[in-house]
Amino acid sequence: MTTDMGEPAATVLNAPRLELRDLRVRFPSTPRSRAETANGSNRPSISLSVDQGQSLVVLGSRQDELTLLLRTIVGLRRPASGDVLLDGRPAFHGTRGVQMVARDSAIPLGSTATEVLKGRARLLGIDPGSIEKVTSELLRKIGLLTRASRSIRDLTQAEQHRLRLAFGLLAEPLLLCLDLPGSAFDIEGEGSLQAHWSDLLARGGSVLWVSTSFGEREHATNRCARLQDGRMLWVRESRTIQTARPTFEIRLEGSVDATLQRLTTETFECVTGSSFDRNRLVIRFATEDQVDDFVRFCSEHRLRLRGLARQRASLDQLVPPIPESKS
C-alpha cells in the first residue's frame, strides 16, 4: 500500500489494551506492616490501564521500585498476586508485540553495533535478505551508523543506551515499555526516542514508561501515575499537572568551550545563573522557550552542545495536591 505521493504507507498498529488488575509486586525496599508481612494479600495493589494509541508514565522516587514494576509487567518477574492482561488475556514473557528497553541490560562489549543488531534480527526471524537494510536504517535513525563498526566498548554510555533502544524497535513493538529513559539518553538519543515515540503512537501503538521526575516529555504523555512505597497513589491526565518553582537548566559536561561560557553571560539576559567548574557548565533559565532560544543560538554560531540536558521537576514539586484515582 502506498500514499498519494507514491511512498509506502505507514503500517497501522493494533496495540493490545494493557491492564494491571489488583497487581501486587514484591518490592524489597517497600516498608510493610506486620499484618502485611504475615498476610501477603494485604500488600498494596496496583490497578491501571493503557489503551491503544496512549502513553502513560509511572512516576516514583525509587529507581529500583520503578524498574521492578516494569519487569513484572513485561513478564520478567512474577508478581506476588494479581494479573497483567493484554486485551483481557494473561500476558507472559515473550508476548509478541511487547518490548522493554532496559537501562541496564547487558550488551556484548567486544562486538560491534552492527554485529549485535544483525544477530538480534536473525533471532527475531527477520528475512535474511532484508537484515542488512533493516539494521543499517535503524542505526541511521539512532545516529550510530558512522560508529556501527566500532567496538561497543568504545561507545559512550548514552550511545550504548541508544543501541538498547534499537534492540526494542527492531521487533516493531505494539507496546513499548521504557525503563527510565530520561536518565539514560543524550540529546541525540532524546531526538531519536521522540521521533519513534511519536510515530508509534500515531500508528496506534502504545507507550508505558517510568520516571523519577516530571519534565517536558512527562507533561506530553496522555496520563501520569504516581507510585510510592508499592502503592499507586493517583492516576491523572498529564496536561492537568503543574509544577512549582519552574526552572530549566542546560548541563554540558566534557570539552566545554570557553567561548560558549563567555557568550552565555554576555549575550543572554534571560540567564538566571550559571556556574563553571573544569569541564562542567550549568546554565539556568526561567522558561522552556529561553532554553530553545539558547540551543538555536548555539546552532547558528556552530557551538557544539555535548551532553545537553534539561532540568526536571522533582516529584514533590507537583501541584496542586492531586486526588486519588483508580483508573
Side-chain angles (χ1 to χ4, degrees):
M1 182 177 179
T2 60
T3 64
D4 294 338
M5 301 296 292
E7 299 175 350
T11 304
V12 177
L13 304 177
N14 185 24
R17 182 179 192 270
L18 171 68
E19 181 183 0
L20 308 185
R21 185 180 298 173
D22 296 326
L23 185 70
R24 291 182 171 86
V25 181
R26 297 182 178 91
F27 295 118
S29 60
T30 300
R32 287 183 292 168
S33 67
R34 292 181 180 178
E36 289 174 337
T37 303
N39 183 358
S41 63
N42 288 334
R43 288 192 184 98
S45 64
I46 299 171
S47 295
L48 57 82
S49 62
V50 183
D51 292 326
Q52 180 181 357
Q54 283 198 336
S55 57
L56 181 143
V57 56
V58 178
L59 304 172
S61 56
R62 296 189 60 93
Q63 293 189 0
D64 56 346
E65 188 173 88
L66 292 168
T67 298
L68 192 56
L69 172 62
L70 207 59
R71 289 175 62 85
T72 302
I73 291 173
V74 300
L76 292 173
R77 187 181 178 96
R78 294 185 62 182
S81 62
D83 299 299
V84 178
L85 304 173
L86 293 173
D87 282 342
R89 295 185 294 271
F92 55 88
H93 177 49
T95 298
R96 185 171 180 81
V98 178
Q99 288 292 320
M100 175 179 174
V101 177
R103 59 189 169 90
D104 57 357
S105 59
I107 304 178
L109 300 180
S111 303
T112 67
T114 298
E115 291 170 345
V116 172
L117 269 185
K118 286 183 176 180
R120 183 165 179 81
R122 286 190 287 269
L123 289 175
L124 291 171
I126 294 177
D127 178 20
S130 304
I131 288 180
E132 182 70 34
K133 179 180 178 180
V134 169
T135 55
S136 295
E137 179 64 13
L138 192 51
L139 287 167
R140 183 190 65 79
K141 288 182 177 180
I142 64 171
L144 290 181
L145 187 59
T146 60
R147 298 172 64 80
S149 60
R150 300 185 62 175
S151 171
I152 295 176
R153 185 178 288 106
D154 295 332
L155 301 180
T156 66
Q157 291 295 320
E159 288 172 335
Q160 290 180 19
H161 199 65
R162 275 190 262 163
L163 187 57
R164 292 186 179 94
L165 174 62
F167 291 164
L169 296 174
L170 191 60
E172 298 184 341
L174 303 176
L175 171 62
L176 183 62
C177 300
L178 300 167
D179 183 12
L180 298 159
S183 65
F185 285 112
D186 54 10
I187 187 171
E188 292 87 355
E190 283 276 359
S192 178
L193 174 61
Q194 186 61 50
H196 287 291
W197 178 317
S198 300
D199 175 69
L200 181 66
L201 294 177
R203 294 189 291 129
S206 304
V207 178
L208 170 68
W209 57 291
V210 295
S211 178
T212 55
S213 60
F214 188 85
E216 184 178 13
R217 192 191 310 114
E218 286 85 354
H219 198 273
T221 57
N222 295 112
R223 292 188 301 158
C224 285
R226 178 68 166 97
L227 179 70
Q228 181 175 310
D229 295 334
R231 298 178 184 274
M232 196 63 72
L233 300 183
W234 46 260
V235 182
R236 183 168 176 168
E237 291 186 11
S238 301
R239 61 182 177 82
T240 65
I241 299 175
Q242 298 178 343
T243 60
R245 303 184 301 278
T247 58
F248 303 88
E249 72 179 26
I250 290 179
R251 298 187 300 274
L252 301 98
E253 298 184 5
S255 304
V256 176
D257 194 325
T259 303
L260 177 59
Q261 178 200 2
R262 178 175 56 81
L263 286 174
T264 59
T265 55
E266 293 182 359
T267 309
F268 283 85
E269 296 180 357
C270 61
V271 175
T272 60
S274 64
S275 61
F276 182 75
D277 179 19
R278 294 185 179 179
N279 288 332
R280 184 171 185 269
L281 175 65
V282 178
I283 315 162
R284 299 177 186 87
F285 300 85
T287 70
E288 188 83 357
D289 289 340
Q290 291 170 354
V291 177
D292 293 334
D293 289 341
F294 176 71
V295 173
R296 192 178 305 111
F297 170 85
C298 291
S299 176
E300 292 172 352
H301 288 76
R302 298 183 179 180
L303 297 172
R304 178 172 173 77
L305 298 179
R306 296 188 59 190
L308 181 149
R310 304 187 183 206
Q311 181 175 339
R312 306 156 69 79
S314 61
L315 300 186
D316 59 6
Q317 291 178 296
L318 299 186
V319 292
I322 300 174
E324 184 173 347
S325 173
K326 292 295 186 181
S327 60

